Amino acid sequence: MADVEAVLDAAGITNPRVREYVQQYAELTGAERVEVVSAADDERLIQEALEAGELQPAGKGRYYSRSYHKDTARSEERTVVATNDPKDKGVYNNWKPASEMKPLLHEKMKGASAGKTMYVIPYLMAPAGNALAPWGVGVELTDNRPVVLHMIRMARVGVQYVNDLEDPNQFVRAVHVTGDLPNLGQGTDDDQRWFVTVADERTILHYGSSYGGNALLGKIAHGLRQAAYDGWVSKKFLGEQYMLIGIKDKETGKTYHVTGGFPSASGKTNLAMMLPPDALGDRYEVYFYGDDIAWLWVDEKTGKLMAMNPENGVFGVAKDTNETTNPTALGSIDENSEAIFTNVAYNPTTQEVWWEGRTKNPPADVTGWEDWRGHLISERTEAQKNDPWAHPNSRFTTTLSKVPNIAPDWDEAAGVPVDAIIFGGRTRDREPLIRAITDVAEGVYDGLTLGAEATFAAEGTEGVLRYDPMSNRPFMAYGEGEYARHYLDIINAADEKPLFAHVNWFQRGEDGRFLWPGYRDNLRPLLWLMQLKNGEVEGVQTPVGILPKKEELNLEGLEIDADDLDAVLRIDNARWQQEISHRTEHLEQFPNLPEEIWEAHNRVKAALEAD
Ligand code: GDP
Ligand code: PGA
Ligand code: MN
Ligand code: MN
């Protein structure tokens, strides 16, 4: 049994509440050793992980890891928000009583780290000094070294973040215990995994996974679920699954800031890393602030709606990342980037990695290549021949400082003012390329009725449409009606309201191909949106928002079939009226939905019927 006091003394952890917490869980989990880590330990921990075979080298200054084959995505059905107040139950938060879940998780964690090291990771989810930084302090405890290495990339990690807190108790207790992965019954009736955020106690208890959002607790459990709850209780902020970018017009010198939510695996990271199309590159620049999480608040002095990314890194989807779709992403995972790849294909002899869409065809010489499970490609049977080499949810992890288009002020305390909030999902039809919404309640209503096809990032059936309010369905922390109220209150408190918009890069033709080229060309509709905000274009008013006139879009250098372009700039009224009836059902699930939202719904419905 570890001498925890001595370890904490040596690491310089003086916060008495943190010390008690570490002591408590070291005892409960039965860890053999306790080790406090900060970002400076990365190099040593990487070496240890390589020696232990937890990582393998992927060329110079890059690493490869595999997760257990039944542990490759977030598990929403095993994820729970627990509190002491049944009124916190929502439709999507899988609410359970704290009095039930805490003992259950403690029981699972009991002795479960025997023989292992428990790493203590003090972290900050926020740029240091930011107005919301007090809500971003946490300490993750984990018995898994690769999780530590991911946390060091994804969050600001160091002892300084937990000492000298104004309130020594204001930190999130985030406990991660891996469990015996081959014996957890993943996906069966006897599933042993639980991922619980005890929101009103600011305690996160995750058991039974070492993958991504299930295990990097600063990111999703704290950065989204806990933050959403904290923002509501404090009435101060929103914690959202949003990307955040700056678009600089070099001709006028003005930078616009756009934030917005797309469900997992629907294009946030690619949009944030977007390089302008070649033809527009002289005039515009896109800056990366964040690709997965934004916290939004109103600055008390200026009255402006502000946003910041609480993360320190990118956990990006590997699939289809290549020189054409996303050269910036490739730049961020270059040699010596210290990036970690998870569940892509790997060649131990050449130390190369590969994933579907990296190149048009997989490496012609399959010698040495292993798929994401570690099976040799050369030994595949006829039946396995067409299986993907990489897992569809395989990822790369890299730090923001390595992202080529990182904004110059990304780490500054102030955050950035928000010009527009956009929502988008993968929708095959109905949703045009972009529609702008000027009314706040209609914008919030639009977010609440965001729908997308299920994606491989969350367990579910690909291709089935499901509603995903604000892209927060898996991260909802309290009732949706209260959430809508709080969202409206935050936005309405700003002196200048953001413009809202709904975008869709994924409309398909009857033959199944994407009608819009996407990726870098997604800058074009966003430039139109900024022009609309400036009154430089007027668009066409439709029942569901303002659409660009074809001639208002900057199409310089764009290759697109004229019919396809028409198709993505069109509203199919009948199809929309059908959708509206689904929306009525969707919204009726939420008690206490603000009247403004119903009014917005009824306005859109009436406008469609009159059209
Ligand atoms: P995120 O999970 O929301 O951050 O989504 P990503 O940016 O990682 O993208 C998820 C998947 O969608 C990747 O395989 C991307 O290559 C693909 N993708 C992203 N943007 C576009 C786009 O504009 N068009 C098309 N067709 N695919 C895209
Ligand atoms: P994603 O982020 O939105 O880029 O997929 C990770 C996640 O949501 O689990
Ligand atoms: Mn996400
Ligand atoms: Mn992403």
Side-chain angles (χ1 to χ4, degrees):
M1 194 47 220
D3 182 353
V4 180
E5 293 290 332
V7 171
L8 296 174
D9 285 344
I13 293 198
T14 55
N15 182 326
R17 299 284 93 81
V18 172
R19 294 176 68 104
E20 285 161 18
Y21 155 66
V22 175
Q23 185 74 257
Q24 180 197 345
Y25 282 94
E27 264 168 44
L28 180 79
T29 62
E32 190 174 314
R33 292 167 299 275
V34 172
E35 187 182 325
V36 179
V37 296
S38 46
D41 295 312
D42 190 56
E43 205 180 315
R44 174 180 56 82
L45 292 166
I46 288 273
Q47 285 314 316
E48 290 177 14
L50 287 167
E51 278 158 32
E54 296 157 353
L55 290 186
Q56 292 175 273
K60 235 172 130 202
R62 310 195 310 174
Y63 312 97
Y64 176 62
S65 74
R66 280 191 184 107
S67 69
Y68 179 61
H69 71 277
K70 291 181 184 167
D71 187 30
T72 57
R74 278 187 286 104
S75 313
E76 293 173 12
E77 76 287 4
R78 304 302 298 171
T79 301
V80 162
V81 173
T83 69
N84 295 280
D85 187 348
K87 286 206 287 292
D88 290 338
K89 183 173 164 57
V91 173
Y92 294 132
N93 68 350
N94 295 335
W95 183 88
K96 294 205 187 285
S99 60
E100 179 188 325
M101 294 317 285
K102 260 177 64 179
L104 178 66
L105 268 288
H106 284 168
E107 192 50 43
K108 299 236 174 263
M109 289 178 172
K110 202 167 167 180
S113 304
K116 295 187 180 179
T117 300
M118 184 178 94
Y119 297 93
V120 178
I121 314 170
Y123 65 81
L124 175 65
M125 298 299 291
N130 179 267
L132 302 179
W135 285 277
V137 179
V139 180
E140 174 160 350
L141 308 178
T142 177
D143 59 6
N144 190 298
R145 188 164 30 208
V147 168
V148 180
L149 293 167
H150 281 84
M151 273 296 286
I152 287 177
R153 283 157 182 72
M154 296 305 295
R156 294 160 176 88
V157 172
V159 170
Q160 70 271 28
Y161 299 123
V162 296
N163 285 337
D164 307 318
L165 296 179
E166 208 168 293
D167 171 0
N169 207 32
Q170 198 179 351
F171 66 93
V172 169
R173 290 158 169 81
V175 189
H176 168 248
V177 173
T178 306
D180 182 16
L181 295 174
N183 291 299
L184 296 175
Q186 291 92 337
T188 70
D189 288 345
D190 190 32
D191 204 320
Q192 301 294 308
R193 303 169 299 162
W194 283 108
F195 308 114
V196 182
T197 298
V198 189
D200 55 353
E201 298 184 22
R202 306 194 81 222
T203 297
I204 297 163
L205 302 170
H206 279 209
Y207 173 81
S209 168
S210 67
Y211 188 81
N214 293 334
L216 314 175
L217 304 188
K219 183 177 175 59
I220 282 164
H222 181 166
L224 289 171
R225 292 187 196 98
Q226 184 66 54
Y229 194 86
D230 289 344
W232 173 55
V233 170
S234 67
K235 297 187 165 35
K236 279 201 173 6
F237 66 104
L238 299 167
E240 302 290 317
Q241 183 185 224
Y242 288 178
M243 59 85 216
L244 176 62
I245 58 176
I247 300 174
K248 182 170 179 180
D249 182 341
K250 289 186 264 187
E251 215 166 277
T252 63
K254 174 128 177 64
T255 300
Y256 301 92
H257 298 100
V258 178
T259 189
F262 314 165
S264 283
S266 304
K268 295 181 300 299
T269 301
N270 276 275
L271 194 68
M273 290 187 168
M274 174 170 59
L275 194 68
D278 286 334
L280 308 187
D282 286 343
R283 172 143 183 205
Y284 299 101
E285 210 153 337
V286 177
Y287 290 124
F288 183 113
Y289 285 92
D291 72 319
D292 197 41
I293 305 180
W295 292 3
L296 279 68
W297 75 101
V298 176
D299 185 286
E300 281 170 17
K301 284 202 196 79
T302 64
K304 285 192 173 146
L305 180 68
M306 305 294 290
M308 63 87 165
N309 169 19
E311 300 199 89
N312 186 57
V314 178
F315 185 57
V317 173
K319 189 170 191 282
D320 287 335
T321 304
N322 60 50
E323 280 82 0
T324 310
T325 57
N326 198 335
T328 315
L330 289 183
S332 76
I333 53 179
D334 233 342
E335 263 196 359
N336 294 321
S337 60
E338 297 296 313
I340 302 174
F341 298 91
T342 306
N343 293 344
V344 298
Y346 179 64
N347 188 328
T349 316
T350 61
Q351 301 186 359
E352 289 170 288
V353 288
W354 189 83
W355 51 84
E356 273 64 28
R358 172 69 191 84
T359 47
K360 192 157 179 280
N361 297 306
D365 180 4
V366 301
T367 316
W369 277 99
E370 298 170 359
D371 68 13
W372 67 274
R373 288 180 179 229
H375 299 159
L376 277 169
I377 300 291
S378 58
E379 290 177 4
R380 286 190 154 187
T381 62
E382 195 57 27
Q384 295 164 330
K385 203 175 81 214
N386 292 323
D387 290 352
W389 287 27
H391 189 282
N393 192 34
S394 58
R395 299 266 174 167
F396 59 83
T397 308
T398 194
T399 51
L400 295 188
S401 61
K402 297 292 190 315
V403 174
N405 69 326
I406 190 74
D409 55 344
W410 72 276
D411 198 25
E412 283 175 20
V416 295
V418 175
D419 292 288
I421 299 180
I422 65 178
F423 301 113
R426 281 176 182 267
T427 19
R428 292 173 168 266
D429 65 351
R430 188 179 50 78
E431 279 294 357
L433 180 62
I434 187 166
R435 49 187 178 87
I437 300 164
T438 50
D439 177 75
V440 170
E442 277 177 36
V444 177
Y445 159 71
D446 188 75
L448 291 170
T449 52
L450 173 60
E453 291 152 24
T455 64
F456 40 71
E459 292 163 359
T461 323
E462 254 190 277
V464 177
L465 195 88
R466 64 169 200 171
Y467 285 106
D468 190 339
M470 309 281 187
S471 79
N472 261 339
R473 176 178 172 140
F475 319 114
M476 279 290 177
Y478 55 101
E480 287 77 7
E482 286 74 13
Y483 170 84
R485 179 73 269 152
H486 177 55
Y487 200 110
L488 285 167
D489 289 347
I490 292 281
I491 304 296
N492 283 327
D495 290 342
E496 205 184 302
K497 310 293 183 261
L499 186 57
F500 285 85
H502 197 112
V503 300
N504 183 21
W505 321 140
F506 297 97
Q507 209 179 127
R508 294 182 193 246
E510 266 156 27
D511 52 1
R513 102 207 118 79
F514 291 114
L515 296 181
W516 175 253
Y519 298 103
R520 298 169 64 171
D521 290 311
N522 295 336
L523 181 60
R524 301 174 192 272
L526 297 183
L527 290 175
W528 172 83
L529 189 68
M530 295 304 106
Q531 284 188 295
L532 185 73
K533 183 154 186 162
N534 290 341
E536 294 158 20
V537 293
E538 58 177 15
V540 188
Q541 184 72 54
T542 78
V544 291
I546 305 167
L547 265 62
K549 292 181 187 157
K550 203 168 22 180
E551 59 275 18
E552 289 172 348
L553 277 178
N554 186 333
L555 301 177
E556 209 185 322
L558 179 74
E559 282 176 42
I560 188 171
D561 183 273
D563 291 340
D564 291 353
L565 183 61
D566 285 339
V568 299
L569 294 177
R570 190 185 302 141
I571 296 294
D572 176 345
N573 190 298
R575 183 71 188 78
W576 268 94
Q577 291 207 40
Q578 184 188 31
E579 164 61 16
I580 288 291
S581 61
H582 297 314
R583 286 184 175 186
T584 308
E585 267 172 57
H586 165 64
L587 294 176
E588 275 169 353
Q589 299 175 93
F590 309 134
N592 311 325
L593 202 65
E595 207 39 51
E596 294 101 298
I597 300 299
W598 280 117
E599 283 164 12
H601 176 65
N602 291 331
R603 270 201 305 280
V604 173
K605 185 167 183 268
L608 280 164
E609 283 161 4
D611 194 39

